[in-house]
Each structure stands twice: as C-alpha cells, then as structure tokens.
Amino acid sequence: MASIQLQSLAHRYPSAPDYALNSMQQSWSDGGAYALLGPSGCGKTTLLNIISGLLRPSEGRVLFDDIDVTDLTTQQRNIAQVFQFPVVYDTMTVADNLAFPLRNRGIAKNEIEKRVADALQMLDLQERANDRAHSLTADDKQKISLGRGLVRTDVQAILFDEPLTVIDPHLKWQLRTELKKIHQRFQHTMIYVTHDQTEALTFADQVIVMYEGAVVQIGTPQQLFETPEHTFVGKFIGSPGMNVLPCEIDGSEAVFAGKRFSLNTAIDNPAARFELGIRPENIKLSPSEGMPLTVTALEDVGRHVIVRGEIAGAQLSALVKDGVAIPENPRVSFDSAHINLYADDYRVASGRGDQAI
Ligand code: ADP
Ligand code: MG
C-alpha cells in the first residue's frame, strides 16, 4: 500500500478550453479509506484516472510513497481500479474472471484458489462460480468487477469509480458494508468516487469534497457537517443542506435580519460578500421568540418535517422532529454556537462557543 501525493497537479483536456482540474496540492495517507465526493462533472473521474495512470496530467506530478510515478503505466503503478460499468470476460466462468488478475501476476495455484473462494463468499456468488459470466445479471457482473479489484492484496491502492451505479439499492447497502469490512481487514489505501453523500459518509474515514475542479475540503463526516469550509460543502452535505443567509459584519458580530451573532474572531475584510451558515437541525421554531418566518412548504420526510420558508428575503429550511408541534406563525431563532461565517464562500469564522475550533 502507498501514500499518495499530488504536486501542483492540474489537468486540461486538449479539446477543452477550461481546466477540468485546477492546480492542487494533496497528500493522502497510506491505508486510508477516502471517498471522493462531488456533483457530476466536478472532475472526480479525471482525478482518479490520473492517479491510476490511465490519464497523464497536463501539469504536475503524482507520487506514491514519495516516488514519482507520473510517467508509469497503470500496470507499473500496481493499481486496481473498478469502474462504473462491469468489465468482465463473458466467455470465462465467474471463478476464472476472479482468478485472472492473479494468474497474470504469477501467484501460486493454491493461493489463487483460496483468494477466489474468499471473494466468491464475500460477494455471495459461490453458487455461480462455474457459470459463464455472460449468463449473469448486470448486478452480478458488477460484483465480479468489484471482486477482480479486491482479490489482489499486493496493490498500492484500490480505486473505485462509482462502482455501485448499476447495483440494486438493497444490494448497495450490503456491498458498501462489505467494502468497509475489507478495508478494516486489509488496510488497503482505497479511494471511492461517488456523487452520493450517503455512500461517501458510510464508506470513508475521510471524505474529499470536490467542486468545479477543486478539492474544497477533506474531513470526517462530522467535520463536514459541523464546520463546512466552503458554502458548497454546507449545501451539498446534509438533507436539506445548510442554510446560507446573506449577512453584514460589525467587528466580531454577524448581523442578520437585525439580530446579532457573536463570532470567535473579529473580521476585517470590508470588500467580501458575507454569509452566515446554519444547519436546519439547529434552528428553533417558536410561536413567540425570534424572527418571523413566512412558511412556503412543509415536507414530511418520515422522522422529521422540513419547514421551508422565507425570512428577511432569504430562503430558510428548518428540521422539526416528527411529533413536535409546528407553530402556526412560527418565529425562528438560532444560537451563535452553531453558526459559521463565510467570506466569498470560504469559512472565515465560527460562532463563539464553538468547541470544534
Ligand atoms: P465527474 O467524474 O466528477 O463527473 P469528470 O472528471 O468526468 O467529472 O469531468 C470533469 C470535466 O472534464 C467535465 O467538465 C467534463 O465534461 C470534462 N471532460 C471529461 N472527460 C473529457 C474528455 N475526454 N475530453 C474533454 N473534456 C472532458
Ligand atoms: Mg465520473
């Protein structure tokens, strides 16, 4: 296994006017379980293919354990990669498909048998071991692709590019849990690309959030939730996402709709566009206390009700536990302790009393 460093890495496809990846400097640990999370088109596949060696970056270097691998092929880098759609040999049996990457590397026969048996069991494909792959469903074919990525124990890293896209939702859970267990057992460096926050948050110890060709934050699920470093992270993580409310600054206070919120530091950047971030979970509704909210919709999402409305010209969502009464003309309040302050989309302060700082 290897640590991965990206040095001044950037990429522009020859046919495109803009950079798909802006210059980045990253260092990811050996044995880490990382998720690369971001919306479609933000550069996840581009970055993964540069790490695996399928794509040569137009600028910068890729290092594994401090060794420059930028000029090496995927095979020389010794990487396993699982793609969005199945890559299997239709005419081979399921077991042979799994054995193939091992035979290719000259592994002993009894060791191959053992690892293939392990993989079959892990993927619940024992019954199909001797069937030819072409007779399998898309789900099962993708399981083979996953298995082919996981049978090799000597790899520097295993990269997954939205591997559960074609998998049935029920099975997704099971496979994700399985991948997590495999990581705990073998401690491979794993990078798992997804646009689905639930997938990212359940799989990874560290989530790398990408937005428009840039890494905007790396953190634990809790850090992404409590202290989003960019308004995009706040809005993208959580359901619904963080409220982002335009505000003004007065020394070490943020002022929104005439209310003052104390910050943990004074702000001196008069030209910036300031916004206050507050999670729907941290908003209190009451019949008498706080700023009046014009309710526009109520959405029952099972254990919660999402109250959507407008306050001082801004959109706001609040999350209310099921069974808790929602006042008819609700007023809104929230605590300084739960806010983050953003200047031109980047976090510059938290509310006073925030223990995370
Ligand atoms: P993601 O995997 O996050 O959806 P991609 O890495 O596939 O994003 O794409 C990032 C950006 O690069 C997008 O704007 C996409 O249109 C562009 N892009 C991807 N592949 C190519 C290519 N082969 N040639 C030109 N542009 C590309
Ligand atoms: Mg992609």
Side-chain angles (χ1 to χ4, degrees), residues 226-228 252-254 260-267 275-278 334-342 347-357:
E226 289 178 0
T227 45
S252 59
E253 289 179 327
R260 292 176 170 267
F261 300 90
S262 342
L263 302 168
N264 63 346
T265 174
I267 302 293
E275 286 163 317
L276 182 161
I278 176 87
F334 45 86
D335 212 328
S336 284
H338 295 299
I339 69 167
N340 286 293
L341 181 79
Y342 297 88
R347 194 173 73 88
V348 289
S350 279
R352 201 182 291 158
D354 190 335
Q355 298 303 307
I357 297 292

Side-chain angles (χ1 to χ4, degrees), residues 199-212:
E199 253 182 39
L201 300 177
T202 49
F203 170 77
D205 307 326
Q206 294 279 315
V207 179
I208 302 161
V209 186
M210 284 186 71
Y211 174 60
E212 294 184 342

Side-chain angles (χ1 to χ4, degrees), residues 13 15-16 20 39-47:
Y13 288 98
S15 59
S40 179
C42 72
K44 304 180 296 296
T45 296
T46 303
L47 183 53

Side-chain angles (χ1 to χ4, degrees), residues 311-356:
I311 185 163
Q315 303 294 318
L316 182 123
S317 303
L319 211 52
V320 179
K321 284 211 177 80
D322 203 21
V324 174
I326 298 166
E328 195 158 341
N329 293 305
R331 290 178 165 263
V332 163
S333 60
F334 45 86
D335 212 328
S336 284
H338 295 299
I339 69 167
N340 286 293
L341 181 79
Y342 297 88
D344 296 332
D345 288 317
Y346 284 90
R347 194 173 73 88
V348 289
S350 279
R352 201 182 291 158
D354 190 335
Q355 298 303 307

Side-chain angles (χ1 to χ4, degrees), residues 11-16 18-21 38-49 55 84 161-162 193-195 210 213:
H11 188 70
R12 187 173 70 79
Y13 288 98
S15 59
D18 299 324
Y19 276 77
L21 291 179
S40 179
C42 72
K44 304 180 296 296
T45 296
T46 303
L47 183 53
L48 207 68
N49 289 346
L55 185 65
Q84 203 165 358
D161 194 351
E162 314 223 21
V193 164
T194 179
H195 63 270
M210 284 186 71

Side-chain angles (χ1 to χ4, degrees), residues 1-4 28-34 65 156 183 187-189:
M1 298 302 116
S3 63
I4 298 172
W28 301 337
S29 314
D30 186 2
Y34 292 96
D65 282 340
Q156 299 280 32
H183 179 261
Q187 301 286 307
H188 291 120
T189 306

Side-chain angles (χ1 to χ4, degrees), residues 203-275:
F203 170 77
D205 307 326
Q206 294 279 315
V207 179
I208 302 161
V209 186
M210 284 186 71
Y211 174 60
E212 294 184 342
V215 171
V216 283
Q217 186 166 5
I218 302 185
T220 61
Q222 190 184 356
Q223 287 167 334
L224 299 181
F225 197 80
E226 289 178 0
T227 45
E229 292 299 335
H230 190 281
T231 52
F232 170 77
V233 178
K235 291 187 225 172
F236 195 65
I237 307 272
S239 183
M242 181 175 78
N243 295 295
V244 177
L245 311 169
C247 68
E248 282 176 5
I249 292 299
D250 185 6
S252 59
E253 289 179 327
V255 186
F256 172 71
K259 293 266 175 195
R260 292 176 170 267
F261 300 90
S262 342
L263 302 168
N264 63 346
T265 174
I267 302 293
D268 183 19
N269 180 6
R273 177 174 52 84
F274 289 104
E275 286 163 317

